[in-house]
């Protein structure tokens, strides 16, 4: 069965610093992976998705993620954090039937000035 | 564009009461989903639908029922509310299968059961 594990429930960075949010997946078939962001009191918004076309995926707001099969990882990065990046981030993987997403428990990103 | 609209946004219930949460989407999406979000648990799928007139159980279906009588609407019902169902409920929709179709989320319904 597919699953994702997000390492670190809370990450704090300074404005301008590198953002690294970690996600490892478990899948018996080639995975379809996603990163979503949730701002306070809002629903989730898609940041980016991996569908096997390219291992480095660029998303919105300057975020990108690299698929590494050897490490079963799909970590999210951004070179320079902005205050507006403070939010909760979820990694997700599609189930085999394509009928649902399986979400990680989320990582809250705090950005200080 | 309205996207995915959830009604109501907030609700407080007493144990044993019933209620229905409404989700409406205007994107002509085939798939619709109900999730619950609890602190430290991420999002867990309650029920989903792959088309009008169809429903299926997700990870945590007990205590909930759903209906998809119209393509644009997906209703989530609590027949006899319990304090363990206090949560934030999110509806989502997608054009097709989750392999490459993103899910679009509503802003959530915050439900407290006393």
């Amino acid at each position: 069965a597919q699953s994702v594990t997000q390492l670190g429930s809370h990450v704090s960075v300074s404005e301008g610093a590198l953002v690294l949010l970690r996600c490892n997946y478990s899948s018996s078939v080639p995975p379809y992976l996603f990163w979503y962001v949730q701002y306070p009191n809002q629903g989730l918004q898609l940041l980016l998705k991996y569908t096997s076309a390219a291992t480095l995926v660029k998303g919105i707001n300057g975020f990108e993620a690299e698929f590494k099969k050897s490490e079963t990882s799909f970590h999210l990065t951004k070179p320079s954090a902005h205050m507006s990046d403070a939010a909760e981030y979820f990694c997700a993987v599609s189930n085999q039937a394509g009928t649902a997403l399986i979400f990680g428990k989320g990582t809250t990103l705090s950005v200080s000035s | 564009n309205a996207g995915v609209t959830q009604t109501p946004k907030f609700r407080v219930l007493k144990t044993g009461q019933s209620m229905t949460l409404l989700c409406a989407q205007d994107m002509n999406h085939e798939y619709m989903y109900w999730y619950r979000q609890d602190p430290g648990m991420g999002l867990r799928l309650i029920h989903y639908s792959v088309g009008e007139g169809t429903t299926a159980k997700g990870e945590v279906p007990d205590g909930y029922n759903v209906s998809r009588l119209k393509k644009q609407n997906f209703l989530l019902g609590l027949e006899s509310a319990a304090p363990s169902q206090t949560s934030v409920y999110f509806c989502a929709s997608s054009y097709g299968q989750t392999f490459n179709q993103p899910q679009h989320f509503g802003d959530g319904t915050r439900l407290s059961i006393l």
Side-chain angles (χ1 to χ4, degrees):
Chain A
Q2 278 73 11
S3 67
V4 289
T5 302
Q6 293 184 240
L7 303 176
S9 59
H10 199 144
V11 171
S12 297
V13 300
S14 299
E15 196 171 20
L18 171 71
V19 175
L20 171 60
L21 304 181
R22 301 177 186 272
C23 174
N24 287 92
Y25 69 89
S26 174
S27 178
S28 56
V29 297
Y32 293 88
L33 294 160
F34 304 80
W35 275 100
Y36 282 83
V37 61
Q38 183 182 31
Y39 298 104
N41 299 315
Q42 294 185 23
L44 279 69
Q45 302 173 31
L46 180 69
L47 271 178
L48 50 81
K49 62 181 181 181
Y50 168 75
T51 57
S52 77
T55 57
L56 183 63
V57 182
K58 294 188 183 299
I60 63 172
N61 301 337
F63 284 93
E64 62 182 34
E66 186 173 8
F67 175 75
K68 292 187 176 181
K69 184 178 179 180
S70 61
E71 299 178 7
T72 62
S73 68
F74 190 57
H75 301 333
L76 182 70
T77 60
K78 182 174 180 178
S80 177
H82 294 166
M83 297 293 287
S84 60
D85 294 327
E88 189 161 18
Y89 293 79
F90 292 95
C91 181
V93 63
S94 174
N95 66 0
Q96 285 195 41
T99 54
L101 289 181
I102 300 158
F103 286 87
K105 295 184 177 182
T107 297
T108 299
L109 175 66
S110 299
V111 182
S112 58
S113 57
Chain B
N1 290 336
V4 178
T5 303
Q6 292 185 231
T7 309
K9 296 188 184 304
F10 304 93
R11 186 73 183 267
V12 178
L13 289 179
K14 295 181 179 179
T15 298
Q17 288 185 318
S18 63
M19 78 161 296
T20 300
L21 280 65
L22 171 63
C23 177
Q25 53 95 3
D26 62 359
M27 296 172 284
N28 201 34
H29 284 171
E30 288 293 333
Y31 287 47
M32 297 187 74
Y33 316 82
W34 276 107
Y35 294 91
R36 61 177 289 173
Q37 183 180 26
D38 303 291
M41 300 293 291
L43 276 77
R44 292 181 292 169
L45 184 66
I46 304 171
H47 287 278
Y48 65 96
S49 168
V50 300
E52 181 178 314
T54 74
T55 63
K57 294 180 180 180
E59 180 186 355
V60 288
D62 293 344
Y64 305 95
N65 56 76
V66 288
S67 64
R68 182 105 182 262
L69 298 180
K70 294 183 178 181
K71 185 176 183 179
Q72 64 268 34
N73 295 336
F74 195 29
L75 278 62
L76 177 71
L78 286 72
E79 290 187 349
S80 180
S84 61
Q85 294 177 305
T86 293
S87 187
V88 182
Y89 292 85
F90 286 98
C91 177
S93 69
S94 64
Y95 183 74
Q97 291 180 310
T98 52
F99 299 133
N100 55 8
Q101 297 294 331
Q103 294 188 2
H104 298 258
F105 285 80
D107 286 339
T109 294
R110 285 150 184 80
L111 182 61
S112 293
I113 300 168
L114 307 178

